[in-house]
Amino acid sequence: MRIMVSADMEGATGVTWTDDVVPGSPQWDRFRRLFTGDVNAVLAGLFAAGASDVLVNEAHSSQRNLLLEDLDPRARMLTGRHKPLSMMQGIDSGVDGVVFLGYHAGAGFDGVLSHTYLENQITGVWLDDVPASEGRLNAAVAAEYGVPVLLVSGDDETCEDARDYAPEAELVQVKECVSRYAAICLPPARTAELLTGAAADAMALAGREERRVRAHRIEVEFDASHLAQAAAVVPTVEQIGTRRVGFDAVNMTEAMKAFKVVTAIAAGAVQGIYG
């Protein structure tokens, strides 16, 4: 059994605010070790339950946060930018299941450091008229390749979101959201035990499924009109409201590629503290 781990950081053990996840600060140095610890806990469970190969796709921000020197030596790690499928790079390599580790709630929803791709410029994303977190978007990509979502970890809001888009998956709540920048956190020894146990149990779900390939529509709402105007210069992207754009794609892979372009252009249009 070959498994992929898509590892984000906002939903990792103990993470609650900006400095925990932004490279360069002492807090980031501290939490990248806890982040690596979460990954190793999941790897322990996957390998114990029969995984023969695990690819860890480093999926947070610069995608250079995990400590390779501390990673379980049985795993392989995909690190760095820029990857065609971003957080889901590797899903097309014949894997039998995917783990969403350290995930978070989507833009416009409660949750620790909740957002969808851009940290604060996007106020909502919809996939086929359903509000979409990164988890929902990535689950749709996985379904296109016939890969089941085995496990999702993060705060309580993340787990509640996952119950809808991945109802069969194991869920691990490592913290309880109090506000965007505060949570009741379990210590690493507790979360490691939970993650390892859930990962081992989740291996029962591994196995290729029928590929679900179909057309999709994504709509994105920004916090300012000029970001929608900037994104609408992309061919196939239409401005459908003062702060909202939408586009159609023949499949989820193409939809996510277009979404990446839209978010990159919007991020480039942000001007200092006025956004």
Side-chain angles (χ1 to χ4, degrees):
M1 283 287 180
R2 302 180 61 217
I3 307 298
M4 172 181 153
V5 177
S6 174
D8 205 356
M9 195 172 182
E10 287 89 355
T13 295
V15 167
T16 58
W17 74 313
T18 306
D19 281 5
D20 297 346
V21 295
V22 175
S25 75
Q27 281 294 99
W28 172 73
D29 276 331
R30 174 190 173 202
F31 279 100
R32 64 193 302 216
R33 287 170 171 77
L34 271 66
F35 181 28
T36 306
D38 280 6
V39 171
N40 281 337
V42 163
L43 292 173
L46 295 175
F47 283 119
S52 56
D53 177 78
V54 182
L55 173 67
V56 179
N57 177 7
E58 232 271 43
H60 173 68
S61 188
S62 65
Q63 297 167 15
R64 298 179 184 277
N65 305 276
L66 288 172
L67 297 169
L68 180 61
E69 59 270 31
D70 292 341
L71 193 70
D72 187 316
R74 295 171 291 182
R76 297 177 297 132
M77 186 170 80
L78 170 59
T79 184
R81 304 168 71 189
H82 299 269
K83 299 174 282 199
L85 292 178
S86 190
M87 300 178 76
M88 294 301 284
Q89 189 67 35
I91 202 69
D92 56 349
S93 63
V95 295
D96 300 292
V98 62
V99 171
F100 293 169
L101 181 143
Y103 270 44
H104 50 81
F109 289 88
D110 290 333
V112 176
L113 297 176
S114 59
H115 69 282
T116 306
Y117 268 64
L118 301 185
E119 291 82 0
N120 57 21
Q121 285 80 37
I122 290 177
T123 58
V125 176
W126 292 261
L127 174 63
D128 302 323
D129 296 322
V130 177
S133 61
E134 292 171 12
R136 183 177 294 276
L137 294 171
N138 291 341
V141 175
E144 187 159 284
Y145 291 92
V147 179
V149 179
L150 306 182
L151 182 155
V152 181
S153 75
D155 69 4
D156 55 321
E157 300 290 347
T158 305
C159 292
E160 186 61 32
D161 180 39
R163 284 188 178 94
D164 188 53
Y165 70 73
E168 302 300 319
E170 294 285 331
L171 305 176
V172 178
Q173 178 184 319
V174 302
K175 54 198 167 192
E176 179 184 343
C177 174
V178 173
S179 73
R180 182 170 176 81
Y181 301 118
I184 300 169
C185 299
L186 296 177
R190 292 270 305 278
T191 60
E193 182 179 0
L194 294 172
L195 289 165
T196 297
D201 291 343
M203 281 296 293
L205 302 171
R208 299 298 295 261
E209 302 175 338
E210 182 178 352
R211 295 180 63 167
R212 287 172 280 172
V213 182
R214 64 182 181 89
H216 291 278
R217 178 171 179 81
I218 292 180
E219 295 185 6
V220 183
E221 185 176 82
F222 299 98
D223 65 358
S225 60
H226 71 286
L227 303 183
Q229 294 163 5
V233 304
V234 179
T236 77
V237 176
E238 177 186 9
Q239 187 169 356
I240 57 175
T242 303
R243 296 180 290 108
R244 191 159 172 155
V245 299
F247 58 89
D248 298 291
V250 295
N251 57 49
M252 195 60 197
T253 298
E254 294 303 310
M256 285 304 292
K257 288 179 179 178
F259 181 64
K260 281 182 60 180
V261 173
V262 166
T263 56
I265 287 181
V270 173
Q271 296 293 318
I273 64 172
Y274 284 91

